[in-house]
Amino acid sequence: MYGVLLAALGMLVFALGYRYYSKFIAERIYRLDPNFVTPAHQFKDGKDFVATNKFVLWGHHFTSVAGAAPIVGPAIAIYWGWLPAILWVTLGTVFAAGVHDFGALVLSVRNKGQSVGTLADKLIGRQAKLLFLFIILILVLMVNAVFAWVISNLFISNPSAVLSVFIQIPLAVWIGYHVYKRQGGMLIPSLVALAVMYVSAIVASRIPALQIDLVRYFGGEENIVAFGLDGVAMSFFVWIIVLMIYVYIASTLPVWKLLQPRDYINSHQLVVGLLILYLGLLFSNPKVTAPAVNGSPDTSWFPLLFITIACGAISGFHGLVSSGTTSKQLNKETDARFVGYLGAIGEGLLALIVIVAVATFFASPQAFSEVYSSFGAANQGGLGNFVQAAGQLATGLLIPQDMAATIVAVIIVSFAATTLDTSVRLMRYIIAELGQEYKVPALSKTHVATSIAVVSSAALVLLPEGPNGFGSGGYLLWPLFGTSNQLLAGITLLLITIWLKRQGRNYLPTLIPMVFVLFMTLYAMLQQVLFQWSPFGGTGTNILLFTLGSIILVFAFWIVIVAISEIMKSKPRDDSRKSA
């Protein structure tokens, strides 16, 4: 079988899903109203609430949710075979992720742009809201720490990408001023900015003097710089500090000054990256050498497949972005289908090409089995396998390997940075909400809440000890990410279901994926907490993960029980044009 066929079938499912199923959801389930006054207009403040063109907003939303996760998860999950991975990505995107992202956006828009954490108070009570906010806070803290870790390591391993990434910042600020102060167009300036970025990346890949290589500056592993840190560790430390300063500024600036224009540029990057990979696949037409189903894995795919592939099928973080930042920028309610559902389709396309690229990368099934010899090996090599596979596809378009590697690094870092500062902004919102809840006015101030978010994220990622050495502290909590993320998606679908039932509408399109996601996630969490991390006979005892996992699990069951009770007693009412 050829990889082109797999990609074509997957793209056909996505096209049909958007054309027919999303239209059904928009018109019959969510009942979008073109005359509804969105929060972007109702609460316009020029900072967070800014009515935005749907193409620009799609760029912000898409790149905020499309970080490294839709690459890493599928590249690992192919360990069980390409067939279950592709089925979950395609069907999960159409029937779960699209409905979830789209629904979280509409629910927030109908409720003054409030986040799903706040809406839990209205829909299932104050206690559930506080428990939900705790789960969200842990999730975004993990995202902040790990994405900062990823970006810093990519800067260290790909110094030729640094110049291009930093050139994007002043270009984005200029575009924001051009569009919102001078009422100019954004498309042409964004394409020019993208061209400047890629030219600088290509030039830097060939001219060492333009490569910002801190490891070389600090003398590498053989030179102790300060506090017992060698050149590599000091380089990592410096990049983390630089990133934290950047995200502090980016997450407090009005969205039109940096966030929107930079994300719009990045949306073009993603389109370019997808075109390179899909066209490379078309012209090189490689055969699939990975097995359709791995007959002898050391770890069962059930239920791990459904939490290993999160972004790219369904992800709770998407609901946070939809209700946290995107809903505050939606110009018309009818734009929600394009922004929310199509954003999920875009991430599904990325996950699909990752699976196909890795499935066609190896010379033979035996070569695949040697690299993917165990689930642990898949975890360690997933991202690296994709980078090599992507480079191989790019050569089908006659792009030199070193240039392709630099461009791929620029794309990944740009997406990761977008997710990072969006996540910090979301964490600021959550801290402010908790400040209001517990009557601590200082926490509601932008710079106080942002400082707490940035300092706690930096402290976690810079923990001196971690499984991967200095600065990998964020990975201490990372095993909780998959289950916490999918748990958040399930609870968000649950909130949308309650809202639909109260409106007297058909709630099966959200109820069915909600039951599926919650069952798989809670089953996986029980396995991890009771049989893996538990000090009472676990296979890999970890007190920290056991404690936090147990708390999140109890909170989750509590929220679900309260929500089910609410669903059972809720009486339908037809107020679709009002807030819930």
Side-chain angles (χ1 to χ4, degrees):
M1 179 181 290
Y2 290 94
V4 171
L5 178 60
L6 290 182
L9 291 174
M11 293 170 72
L12 177 62
V13 172
F14 290 144
L16 293 174
Y18 182 73
R19 174 64 180 83
Y20 295 105
Y21 193 61
S22 74
K23 184 179 181 182
F24 165 75
I25 295 295
E27 295 178 355
R28 302 290 297 276
I29 306 300
Y30 296 150
R31 300 182 188 175
L32 302 186
D33 181 358
N35 298 316
F36 186 84
V37 179
T38 64
H41 293 285
Q42 186 178 3
F43 306 108
K44 181 179 179 181
D45 62 4
K47 184 177 181 180
D48 295 320
F49 292 86
V50 179
T52 305
N53 175 279
K54 71 176 183 179
F55 296 100
V56 176
L57 185 56
W58 178 85
H60 155 70
H61 179 81
F62 188 13
T63 53
S64 292
V65 300
I71 296 174
V72 176
I76 293 172
I78 198 175
Y79 164 71
W80 291 297
W82 57 260
L83 181 59
I86 285 183
L87 286 176
W88 173 228
V89 163
T90 52
L91 299 180
T93 295
V94 170
F95 295 108
V99 175
H100 168 273
D101 298 9
F102 186 7
L105 179 55
V106 173
L107 180 61
S108 179
V109 166
R110 285 294 176 97
N111 288 274
K112 303 178 181 179
Q114 294 175 328
S115 71
V116 288
T118 300
L119 291 173
D121 189 355
K122 292 184 177 182
L123 294 169
I124 51 179
R126 180 174 178 271
Q127 285 185 332
K129 168 194 172 181
L130 296 177
L131 300 179
F132 197 28
L133 285 177
F134 173 80
I135 296 173
I136 294 171
L137 200 61
I138 292 294
L139 178 67
V140 294
L141 183 60
M142 287 188 287
V143 169
N144 294 346
V146 174
F147 274 64
W149 186 90
V150 168
I151 294 169
S152 298
N153 278 285
L154 283 171
F155 278 162
I156 290 172
S157 59
N158 297 275
S160 58
V162 176
L163 178 64
S164 178
V165 171
F166 277 90
I167 278 178
Q168 186 187 39
I169 297 173
L171 289 172
V173 172
W174 167 72
I175 291 172
Y177 175 80
H178 173 74
V179 172
Y180 289 94
K181 291 298 184 182
R182 302 183 64 181
Q183 302 301 311
M186 187 177 284
L187 177 60
I188 301 302
S190 297
L191 294 176
V192 171
L194 187 62
V196 171
M197 287 179 63
Y198 283 165
V199 168
S200 64
I202 292 170
V203 172
S205 69
R206 297 300 176 90
I207 303 177
L210 296 178
Q211 300 175 10
I212 304 176
D213 190 348
L214 295 185
V215 174
R216 184 176 58 187
Y217 174 79
F218 286 121
E221 294 181 351
E222 298 177 357
N223 184 39
I224 301 298
V225 181
F227 308 110
L229 302 179
D230 60 27
V232 175
M234 181 56 72
S235 300
F236 181 86
F237 178 81
V238 170
W239 280 128
I240 291 294
I241 298 303
V242 170
L243 283 173
M244 290 299 119
I245 293 172
Y246 161 74
V247 296
Y248 184 97
I249 296 171
S251 60
T252 54
L253 283 175
V255 290
W256 64 266
K257 283 190 176 180
L258 178 59
L259 192 70
Q260 284 183 352
R262 189 212 50 216
D263 292 354
Y264 193 56
I265 297 171
N266 286 342
S267 69
H268 296 316
Q269 281 208 77
L270 187 52
V271 171
V272 169
L274 289 173
L275 283 175
I276 289 174
L277 294 176
Y278 277 99
L279 288 176
L281 176 70
L282 178 64
F283 286 111
S284 59
N285 196 23
K287 287 186 176 181
V288 175
T289 53
V293 178
N294 190 348
S296 57
D298 64 343
T299 305
S300 172
W301 64 270
F302 181 88
L304 285 181
L305 172 69
F306 304 103
I307 61 172
T308 300
I309 301 180
C311 300
I314 184 171
S315 166
F317 184 74
H318 295 191
L320 295 184
V321 175
S322 292
S323 65
T325 61
T326 307
S327 64
K328 297 175 176 63
Q329 303 168 59
L330 196 72
N331 183 37
K332 296 189 298 183
E333 190 176 75
T334 47
D335 292 345
R337 177 191 175 203
F338 181 86
V339 174
Y341 199 99
L342 192 61
I345 292 291
E347 194 158 81
L349 283 169
L350 178 57
L352 175 64
I353 194 61
V354 170
I355 296 169
V356 175
V358 177
T360 58
F361 173 64
F362 298 94
S364 64
Q366 292 74 24
F368 174 88
S369 299
E370 290 174 4
V371 175
Y372 281 85
S373 57
S374 66
F375 185 65
N379 267 292
Q380 294 175 2
L383 182 59
N385 293 332
F386 167 71
V387 172
Q388 294 181 61
Q392 178 174 281
L393 291 182
T395 58
L397 298 177
L398 304 179
I399 300 176
Q401 185 72 28
D402 59 340
M403 290 185 183
T406 298
I407 290 175
V408 169
V410 168
I411 292 174
I412 294 176
V413 170
S414 297
F415 294 159
T418 296
T419 303
L420 178 62
D421 61 41
T422 298
S423 181
V424 170
R425 187 179 286 261
L426 291 172
M427 193 171 179
R428 186 242 293 178
Y429 293 157
I430 296 167
I431 292 171
E433 286 182 25
L434 290 173
Q436 294 173 356
E437 184 69 35
Y438 291 104
K439 296 180 174 56
V440 184
L443 294 180
S444 298
K445 296 181 178 179
T446 296
H447 291 287
V448 173
T450 305
S451 297
I452 294 173
V454 168
V455 171
S456 59
S457 300
L460 179 57
V461 76
L462 288 173
L463 283 174
E465 297 294 335
N468 296 302
F470 171 80
S472 61
Y475 272 81
L476 291 174
L477 296 180
W478 191 244
L480 275 172
F481 174 79
T483 48
S484 300
N485 189 35
Q486 299 302 71
L487 181 62
L488 180 59
I491 295 174
T492 300
L493 283 169
L494 191 153
L495 295 177
I496 300 169
T497 300
I498 293 175
W499 175 67
L500 289 174
K501 188 174 188 298
R502 288 184 177 179
Q503 307 305 311
R505 303 180 198 168
N506 177 10
Y507 52 86
L508 285 179
T510 58
L511 179 67
I512 293 172
M514 177 206 81
V515 171
F516 180 83
V517 171
L518 282 178
F519 174 77
M520 291 299 175
T521 304
L522 292 173
Y523 184 27
M525 282 197 83
L526 280 170
Q527 281 190 330
Q528 290 178 317
V529 171
L530 297 180
F531 304 113
Q532 184 175 346
W533 302 326
S534 171
F536 312 107
T539 57
T541 301
N542 187 310
I543 298 299
L544 177 63
L545 293 178
F546 173 75
T547 303
L548 287 176
S550 298
I551 293 172
I552 292 174
L553 192 58
V554 170
F555 285 3
F557 274 112
W558 192 341
I559 292 171
V560 170
I561 291 171
V562 171
I564 291 175
S565 174
E566 186 65 30
I567 290 176
M568 297 298 293
K569 68 181 182 182
S570 290
K571 294 182 179 180
R573 55 187 173 84
D574 190 9
D575 58 351
S576 59
R577 292 174 182 268
K578 300 177 183 179
S579 61

